[in-house]
Amino acid sequence: MQIGCSAPTSGPLINPDSLLRIATEAEVLGFDYVTVSDHVMIPTSIASRYPYTDSGEFPSGAAADRLEQLTAASFVAAVTTKLRIVTSVMVVPHRPAVLTAKILATIDYLSKGRLTLGIGAGWCEEEFLAIGAPPFAERGAVTDEFMAVCRELWTSDHPRFDGKYVRFKDVLFPPKPPQQPIPIWVGGESGPALRRTAAYGDAWYPIGTNPQFPMDTLDRYKAAVARLRGLTEKAGRDPASVALAYRVSSNPEAQPKGTVDGQRKLFSGGAEDFAGDIKALREAGVTAFDFGLFAPTLQGTLDNMKRFRDTVIAKVR
């Protein structure tokens, strides 16, 4: 079982010294990985519905300082030696496929095989328009084709591709990433996300608090996993070949202990509750968990990380 925490890519903790300290402290404390999130720019007016709040409003202010995800991942890789870096998640259509494949292969090469590629198709149409990404309505097809491009470039000695969005042949693409291939965790909770996971994902990587597709109780999560297993088998793959990861956006005490339909609401309450939920989900097959442990200050964040190690991780390992 792996347990991770988030490294900041926006807000007051993104200065180099703070980011370095959080990443290196995560490694010292025994976290297995850190996550880095992805937005290139946030429009000041957003009509698109954010999936993870009841209101549909994006919780971060548009004026917050913000780092580019893959550059930040490179920085974290450079200041650590064992910690894995998980993109959580990379919005695949935001970047050209071939260039993205090269950047990711470079990160994996320079980190000696420590990159995990969490992916998503994106939710903010206004951001797609602002950065000149492919059409928002085609983001699912673009995501699938771009991932096929990456795997072709990462694994083939003589890569070639003839798709709708990307075409190339008679090219070379060394060095290959040390991991063959870089593992892909598919984010999202919708039907298309499940089908994408079933088709080519190495792991499913949902957030349990999506109001449209809630997985905030053990029964709801198990039902979603059963659906994923069926889709994976239908896609001609061994259902056991797709691992399960679970992302939690909050830390202990962030919300009071609660119930949903008579069942305990996952990851509500305190440290003992979090430890119990990790154990329950581990029995359901989850092998990786990560948590947002940020506080307004660097010291507060470091304190949260240490407290989480002592009061949660120590009880589940």
Side-chain angles (χ1 to χ4, degrees):
M1 181 182 65
Q2 295 185 321
I3 295 181
C5 62
S6 298
T9 55
S10 65
L13 301 179
I14 65 168
N15 67 79
D17 293 339
S18 293
L19 180 54
L20 182 152
R21 183 71 190 283
I22 290 169
T24 56
E25 192 74 5
E27 188 164 73
V28 168
L29 290 172
F31 286 91
D32 299 292
Y33 63 92
V34 292
T35 67
V36 288
S37 65
D38 187 19
H39 281 286
V40 178
M41 60 172 63
I42 303 296
T44 56
S45 178
I46 298 176
S48 300
R49 182 178 180 83
Y50 179 65
Y52 301 107
T53 59
D54 290 330
S55 67
E57 294 182 8
F58 186 53
S60 295
D65 292 350
R66 193 170 298 276
L67 302 178
E68 194 281 321
Q69 180 191 52
L70 302 185
T71 313
S74 300
F75 179 88
V76 171
V79 301
T80 55
T81 59
K82 298 181 295 183
L83 204 64
R84 291 194 67 83
I85 301 97
V86 178
T87 58
S88 180
V89 293
M90 184 185 77
V91 182
V92 176
H94 278 182
R95 301 168 181 82
V98 174
L99 178 59
T100 301
K102 173 57 73 175
I103 294 170
L104 295 170
T106 299
I107 295 171
D108 198 57
Y109 180 81
L110 294 177
S111 69
K112 300 180 181 179
R114 290 188 285 131
L115 178 66
T116 295
L117 179 60
I119 66 165
W123 62 269
C124 184
E125 183 172 6
E126 293 83 357
E127 186 174 11
F128 272 59
L129 292 170
I131 66 176
F136 184 73
E138 299 176 32
R139 64 194 184 282
V142 170
T143 295
D144 294 339
E145 182 167 307
F146 281 19
M147 285 296 93
V149 167
C150 286
R151 287 211 151 152
E152 172 69 9
L153 290 168
W154 291 340
T155 60
S156 175
D157 290 332
H158 303 284
R160 59 187 298 136
F161 200 90
D162 185 15
K164 178 178 179 181
Y165 306 100
V166 184
R167 297 180 181 86
F168 54 79
K169 62 179 181 178
D170 302 325
V171 296
L172 298 173
F173 202 76
K176 303 299 185 189
Q179 299 180 99
Q180 282 294 310
I182 296 169
I184 295 174
W185 291 7
V186 180
E189 303 76 31
S190 66
L194 288 171
R195 289 190 289 273
R196 186 167 293 118
T197 307
Y200 59 81
D202 297 300
W204 183 38
Y205 186 37
I207 300 176
T209 53
N210 185 333
Q212 298 180 75
F213 307 97
M215 288 176 288
D216 51 0
T217 69
L218 191 58
D219 281 353
R220 284 177 170 178
Y221 179 75
K222 286 181 176 179
V225 171
R227 184 182 176 198
L228 170 65
R229 298 305 190 204
L231 290 169
T232 306
E233 188 171 12
K234 187 176 180 180
R237 301 176 65 202
D238 179 3
S241 68
V242 179
L244 302 174
Y246 193 96
R247 179 164 178 77
V248 183
S249 57
S250 62
N251 58 333
E253 311 297 348
Q255 56 177 313
K257 188 184 303 187
T259 59
V260 179
D261 296 334
Q263 273 208 328
R264 222 192 76 71
K265 186 175 182 180
L266 293 171
F267 299 107
S268 62
E272 290 286 346
D273 302 298
F274 271 55
D277 291 338
I278 290 173
K279 291 176 182 178
L281 286 172
R282 182 172 60 189
E283 291 179 4
V286 180
T287 57
F289 300 84
D290 54 76
F291 300 85
L293 302 178
F294 295 130
T297 65
L298 173 60
Q299 190 57 54
T301 298
L302 299 175
D303 290 344
N304 282 349
M305 293 164 63
K306 293 174 183 174
R307 189 179 306 111
F308 193 86
R309 178 201 60 181
D310 295 340
T311 62
V312 178
I313 296 177
K315 289 181 170 60
V316 298
R317 284 186 170 166

